[in-house]
Amino acid sequence: MHKSLQTASASSEGHPAAKRAQQHARWRLPVWLSWFLGRLAYGLLTVWVISLIVFVATLVLPSDPARIILGPDAPLESVQTLQHQLGLDQPKLVQYVHWLAGFIQGNWGVSLDSQLAVTEVLWPRFANTLALLAGVVAFVLPLALVLGVALALKRDSRFDQAVLSALILFKAVPGFLLGIGLVLLFSMPGVNLFPAVAILDPELSIFAQWQYLVLPVLTLGLAALPYLTRLVRSSMIEALDSDYVGAARLRGIPERRIVWLHTLPNALVPAVQGLALTLRTLVGGALLAEVIFSYPGMGVTLHAAIQMRDLPLIQAIVLLTTVSVVGINLLADLLTVLLTPKLRTAPRKVMIQRNTRGIQPWWRRRLARAS
């Protein structure tokens, strides 16, 4: 009987349909990868919609780029000639297609204020903003993890209550007041530990001038620390009270190993989403710290471009910010799926439902919850 079973299995494996099924299963993408490709498609759709909104919004602004370049006293013939050279006399749809194609190819136009290429003006400022955000992540993430784990292990103690009160106090202080307080604390003539104004040398790397990053990083980091720390604390408490941690303690596993190897990985998923939310806020809200410390980043550049009605620069900054936010969302979602075994090994139907749930209209989601 055993030989007959082997013969049957061999014949089934040699069947052409079975071979095709095995090859199809071998070349099929992992479920999480196909889900991520769907999310990437939605992200690209979002960027396209935002690009359309940005282009239409800049057309509504009461300004003529040709008139701004030539000045208010330029003759009408010169203005019309420049409009033809810039393509402003073409239909709006043609202008949008040319602008979007140029953005994809890296040709973002010419700044109306400096008469330089937008990429030449923007990339150094974008690099400065990335360095600022990297400093905030390097400062906030380890501190929030350590504080969150410590508060979860010492919950309801005096230490827990004191630190939570301090975090709430930091959260209640406005960002500009926090920045001014740091300047008074570290940049007064008697102390003068860190410079109050970021006068960067363009010939040097931003990290070679790290002293100019300290106060902006502290300002943004202390504003983001309360949220991340409380998020890690609550997720750690939930993980410590779970059944599998109780079973691990009954087996005699050391407490340190339970905390760092079994509990903390499960608490990282909310921290990843919280960090992504913080970065999304900082990408659009770093203007405050940049203005206080005169830090040459994207926020200050956007503020100056709006004042000068520099439309190509405004369009490039807004669209680049959109791409950055979408990229942060995609990376956070991918890390969440990879860090969660239940999602990483979920059936294809569940992952498709996760994708479609994110784009359903609000009224359809409300009807689904009501039913």
CSV table of all heavy atoms in Angstrom, one decimal, residues 290-323:
chain,number,residue,atom,x,y,z
A,290,GLU,N,12.4,76.6,11.9
A,290,GLU,CA,13.3,77.3,10.9
A,290,GLU,C,13.3,78.8,11.0
A,290,GLU,O,14.3,79.5,10.8
A,290,GLU,CB,13.0,76.8,9.5
A,290,GLU,CG,13.2,75.3,9.3
A,290,GLU,CD,12.8,74.8,7.9
A,290,GLU,OE1,12.3,75.7,7.1
A,290,GLU,OE2,12.9,73.6,7.6
A,291,VAL,N,12.1,79.3,11.3
A,291,VAL,CA,12.0,80.8,11.4
A,291,VAL,C,12.6,81.3,12.6
A,291,VAL,O,13.3,82.3,12.6
A,291,VAL,CB,10.5,81.2,11.3
A,291,VAL,CG1,10.3,82.7,11.7
A,291,VAL,CG2,9.9,80.9,9.9
A,292,ILE,N,12.4,80.6,13.8
A,292,ILE,CA,13.0,81.0,15.0
A,292,ILE,C,14.5,81.0,15.0
A,292,ILE,O,15.1,82.0,15.4
A,292,ILE,CB,12.5,80.1,16.2
A,292,ILE,CG1,11.0,80.3,16.4
A,292,ILE,CG2,13.3,80.4,17.5
A,292,ILE,CD1,10.4,79.3,17.4
A,293,PHE,N,15.1,80.0,14.4
A,293,PHE,CA,16.6,79.9,14.4
A,293,PHE,C,17.2,80.3,13.0
A,293,PHE,O,18.4,80.1,12.8
A,293,PHE,CB,17.0,78.5,14.7
A,293,PHE,CG,16.5,78.0,16.1
A,293,PHE,CD1,15.4,77.2,16.2
A,293,PHE,CD2,17.1,78.5,17.2
A,293,PHE,CE1,14.9,76.8,17.4
A,293,PHE,CE2,16.6,78.1,18.5
A,293,PHE,CZ,15.6,77.2,18.6
A,294,SER,N,16.4,80.9,12.1
A,294,SER,CA,16.8,81.3,10.8
A,294,SER,C,17.5,80.1,10.1
A,294,SER,O,18.6,80.3,9.4
A,294,SER,CB,17.8,82.5,10.9
A,294,SER,OG,17.1,83.6,11.4
A,295,TYR,N,16.9,78.9,10.2
A,295,TYR,CA,17.5,77.7,9.6
A,295,TYR,C,17.1,77.6,8.2
A,295,TYR,O,15.9,77.7,7.8
A,295,TYR,CB,17.0,76.5,10.4
A,295,TYR,CG,17.7,75.2,10.0
A,295,TYR,CD1,18.9,74.8,10.5
A,295,TYR,CD2,17.0,74.3,9.1
A,295,TYR,CE1,19.5,73.7,10.1
A,295,TYR,CE2,17.6,73.2,8.7
A,295,TYR,CZ,18.8,72.8,9.2
A,295,TYR,OH,19.4,71.6,8.8
A,296,PRO,N,18.0,77.5,7.2
A,296,PRO,CA,17.7,77.5,5.8
A,296,PRO,C,17.2,76.2,5.3
A,296,PRO,O,17.8,75.4,4.7
A,296,PRO,CB,19.0,77.9,5.1
A,296,PRO,CG,20.1,77.3,6.1
A,296,PRO,CD,19.5,77.5,7.5
A,297,GLY,N,15.9,76.0,5.6
A,297,GLY,CA,15.2,74.7,5.2
A,297,GLY,C,14.1,75.0,4.2
A,297,GLY,O,13.9,76.1,3.7
A,298,MET,N,13.3,74.0,4.0
A,298,MET,CA,12.1,74.1,3.1
A,298,MET,C,11.1,75.1,3.5
A,298,MET,O,10.5,75.8,2.7
A,298,MET,CB,11.5,72.7,2.9
A,298,MET,CG,12.4,71.7,2.2
A,298,MET,SD,12.1,71.7,0.5
A,298,MET,CE,10.5,70.9,0.4
A,299,GLY,N,10.8,75.1,4.8
A,299,GLY,CA,9.8,76.0,5.4
A,299,GLY,C,10.1,77.5,5.1
A,299,GLY,O,9.2,78.2,4.6
A,300,VAL,N,11.3,77.9,5.4
A,300,VAL,CA,11.7,79.3,5.1
A,300,VAL,C,11.7,79.6,3.7
A,300,VAL,O,11.3,80.7,3.2
A,300,VAL,CB,13.1,79.5,5.7
A,300,VAL,CG1,13.6,80.9,5.3
A,300,VAL,CG2,13.1,79.4,7.3
A,301,THR,N,12.1,78.6,2.8
A,301,THR,CA,12.1,78.8,1.4
A,301,THR,C,10.7,79.0,0.9
A,301,THR,O,10.4,79.8,0.0
A,301,THR,CB,12.8,77.7,0.7
A,301,THR,OG1,14.1,77.5,1.2
A,301,THR,CG2,12.9,77.9,-0.8
A,302,LEU,N,9.7,78.2,1.4
A,302,LEU,CA,8.3,78.3,1.0
A,302,LEU,C,7.8,79.6,1.4
A,302,LEU,O,7.0,80.3,0.6
A,302,LEU,CB,7.5,77.1,1.5
A,302,LEU,CG,6.0,77.2,1.2
A,302,LEU,CD1,5.8,77.1,-0.3
A,302,LEU,CD2,5.3,76.0,1.9
A,303,HIS,N,8.1,80.1,2.6
A,303,HIS,CA,7.6,81.4,3.1
A,303,HIS,C,8.1,82.5,2.2
A,303,HIS,O,7.3,83.4,1.8
A,303,HIS,CB,8.1,81.6,4.5
A,303,HIS,CG,7.6,82.8,5.2
A,303,HIS,ND1,6.3,83.1,5.5
A,303,HIS,CD2,8.3,83.9,5.5
A,303,HIS,CE1,6.1,84.3,6.0
A,303,HIS,NE2,7.3,84.8,6.1
A,304,ALA,N,9.4,82.5,1.8
A,304,ALA,CA,9.9,83.5,1.0
A,304,ALA,C,9.3,83.4,-0.4
A,304,ALA,O,9.0,84.5,-1.1
A,304,ALA,CB,11.4,83.4,0.9
A,305,ALA,N,9.1,82.2,-0.9
A,305,ALA,CA,8.5,82.1,-2.3
A,305,ALA,C,7.1,82.6,-2.3
A,305,ALA,O,6.7,83.2,-3.3
A,305,ALA,CB,8.6,80.6,-2.7
A,306,ILE,N,6.3,82.4,-1.3
A,306,ILE,CA,4.9,82.9,-1.2
A,306,ILE,C,4.9,84.4,-1.2
A,306,ILE,O,4.1,85.1,-1.9
A,306,ILE,CB,4.2,82.3,0.0
A,306,ILE,CG1,4.0,80.8,-0.2
A,306,ILE,CG2,2.8,83.0,0.2
A,306,ILE,CD1,3.4,80.2,1.0
A,307,GLN,N,5.9,85.0,-0.5
A,307,GLN,CA,5.9,86.5,-0.4
A,307,GLN,C,6.3,87.1,-1.8
A,307,GLN,O,5.8,88.1,-2.2
A,307,GLN,CB,7.0,86.9,0.6
A,307,GLN,CG,6.5,86.7,2.0
A,307,GLN,CD,7.5,87.2,3.1
A,307,GLN,OE1,8.7,87.3,2.8
A,307,GLN,NE2,7.0,87.6,4.2
A,308,MET,N,7.2,86.4,-2.5
A,308,MET,CA,7.6,86.9,-3.8
A,308,MET,C,6.8,86.4,-5.0
A,308,MET,O,7.1,86.7,-6.2
A,308,MET,CB,9.1,86.4,-4.1
A,308,MET,CG,10.1,87.0,-3.1
A,308,MET,SD,10.1,88.8,-3.1
A,308,MET,CE,10.6,89.1,-4.7
A,309,ARG,N,5.7,85.6,-4.7
A,309,ARG,CA,4.8,85.0,-5.8
A,309,ARG,C,5.7,84.2,-6.8
A,309,ARG,O,5.4,84.2,-8.0
A,309,ARG,CB,4.1,86.1,-6.5
A,309,ARG,CG,3.2,86.9,-5.6
A,309,ARG,CD,2.0,86.1,-5.1
A,309,ARG,NE,1.0,86.9,-4.5
A,309,ARG,CZ,1.0,87.4,-3.2
A,309,ARG,NH1,2.0,87.0,-2.4
A,309,ARG,NH2,0.0,88.1,-2.7
A,310,ASP,N,6.6,83.5,-6.2
A,310,ASP,CA,7.5,82.6,-7.1
A,310,ASP,C,6.8,81.3,-7.3
A,310,ASP,O,7.0,80.3,-6.6
A,310,ASP,CB,8.8,82.4,-6.3
A,310,ASP,CG,9.9,81.9,-7.3
A,310,ASP,OD1,9.6,81.4,-8.4
A,310,ASP,OD2,11.1,82.0,-6.9
A,311,LEU,N,6.0,81.3,-8.4
A,311,LEU,CA,5.1,80.1,-8.6
A,311,LEU,C,5.8,78.8,-8.9
A,311,LEU,O,5.5,77.8,-8.3
A,311,LEU,CB,4.1,80.5,-9.8
A,311,LEU,CG,3.2,81.6,-9.6
A,311,LEU,CD1,2.2,81.7,-10.8
A,311,LEU,CD2,2.4,81.5,-8.3
A,312,PRO,N,6.9,78.8,-9.7
A,312,PRO,CA,7.6,77.5,-9.9
A,312,PRO,C,8.2,76.9,-8.6
A,312,PRO,O,8.1,75.7,-8.4
A,312,PRO,CB,8.7,77.8,-10.9
A,312,PRO,CG,8.2,79.0,-11.7
A,312,PRO,CD,7.4,79.8,-10.6
A,313,LEU,N,8.7,77.8,-7.8
A,313,LEU,CA,9.3,77.3,-6.5
A,313,LEU,C,8.2,76.9,-5.6
A,313,LEU,O,8.3,75.8,-4.9
A,313,LEU,CB,10.1,78.5,-5.9
A,313,LEU,CG,11.0,78.1,-4.7
A,313,LEU,CD1,12.0,77.0,-5.1
A,313,LEU,CD2,11.8,79.3,-4.2
A,314,ILE,N,7.0,77.6,-5.5
A,314,ILE,CA,5.9,77.1,-4.7
A,314,ILE,C,5.4,75.8,-5.1
A,314,ILE,O,5.2,74.9,-4.3
A,314,ILE,CB,4.8,78.2,-4.7
A,314,ILE,CG1,5.3,79.5,-4.1
A,314,ILE,CG2,3.6,77.7,-4.0
A,314,ILE,CD1,4.3,80.6,-4.3
A,315,GLN,N,5.2,75.6,-6.4
A,315,GLN,CA,4.7,74.3,-6.9
A,315,GLN,C,5.7,73.2,-6.6
A,315,GLN,O,5.2,72.1,-6.2
A,315,GLN,CB,4.5,74.4,-8.4
A,315,GLN,CG,3.4,75.4,-8.9
A,315,GLN,CD,3.4,75.6,-10.4
A,315,GLN,OE1,4.3,75.4,-11.1
A,315,GLN,NE2,2.2,76.1,-10.9
A,316,ALA,N,7.0,73.4,-6.8
A,316,ALA,CA,7.9,72.4,-6.5
A,316,ALA,C,8.0,72.0,-5.1
A,316,ALA,O,8.1,70.8,-4.7
A,316,ALA,CB,9.3,72.8,-7.0
A,317,ILE,N,7.9,73.0,-4.2
A,317,ILE,CA,8.0,72.7,-2.7
A,317,ILE,C,6.8,71.9,-2.3
A,317,ILE,O,6.9,70.9,-1.5
A,317,ILE,CB,8.2,74.0,-1.9
A,317,ILE,CG1,9.6,74.6,-2.2
A,317,ILE,CG2,8.0,73.8,-0.5
A,317,ILE,CD1,9.8,76.0,-1.6
A,318,VAL,N,5.6,72.4,-2.7
A,318,VAL,CA,4.4,71.7,-2.3
A,318,VAL,C,4.3,70.3,-2.8
A,318,VAL,O,4.0,69.3,-2.0
A,318,VAL,CB,3.2,72.5,-2.7
A,318,VAL,CG1,1.9,71.7,-2.4
A,318,VAL,CG2,3.1,73.8,-2.0
A,319,LEU,N,4.7,70.1,-4.0
A,319,LEU,CA,4.7,68.7,-4.6
A,319,LEU,C,5.7,67.8,-4.0
A,319,LEU,O,5.5,66.6,-3.7
A,319,LEU,CB,4.8,68.8,-6.1
A,319,LEU,CG,4.3,67.5,-6.9
A,319,LEU,CD1,2.8,67.2,-6.5
A,319,LEU,CD2,4.4,67.8,-8.4
A,320,LEU,N,6.9,68.4,-3.7
A,320,LEU,CA,8.0,67.6,-3.1
A,320,LEU,C,7.6,67.2,-1.6
A,320,LEU,O,7.9,66.1,-1.2
A,320,LEU,CB,9.3,68.4,-3.1
A,320,LEU,CG,10.5,67.7,-2.5
A,320,LEU,CD1,10.8,66.4,-3.3
A,320,LEU,CD2,11.7,68.6,-2.5
A,321,THR,N,6.9,68.1,-1.0
A,321,THR,CA,6.4,67.8,0.4
A,321,THR,C,5.4,66.7,0.3
A,321,THR,O,5.4,65.8,1.2
A,321,THR,CB,5.8,69.1,1.0
A,321,THR,OG1,6.8,70.1,1.1
A,321,THR,CG2,5.4,68.8,2.5
A,322,THR,N,4.5,66.8,-0.7
A,322,THR,CA,3.5,65.7,-0.8
A,322,THR,C,4.1,64.3,-1.1
A,322,THR,O,3.8,63.3,-0.5
A,322,THR,CB,2.6,66.0,-2.0
A,322,THR,OG1,2.0,67.3,-1.8
A,322,THR,CG2,1.5,65.0,-2.2
A,323,VAL,N,5.1,64.3,-1.9
A,323,VAL,CA,5.8,63.1,-2.2
A,323,VAL,C,6.5,62.5,-0.9
A,323,VAL,O,6.5,61.3,-0.6
A,323,VAL,CB,6.9,63.3,-3.3
A,323,VAL,CG1,7.8,62.0,-3.5
A,323,VAL,CG2,6.2,63.6,-4.6
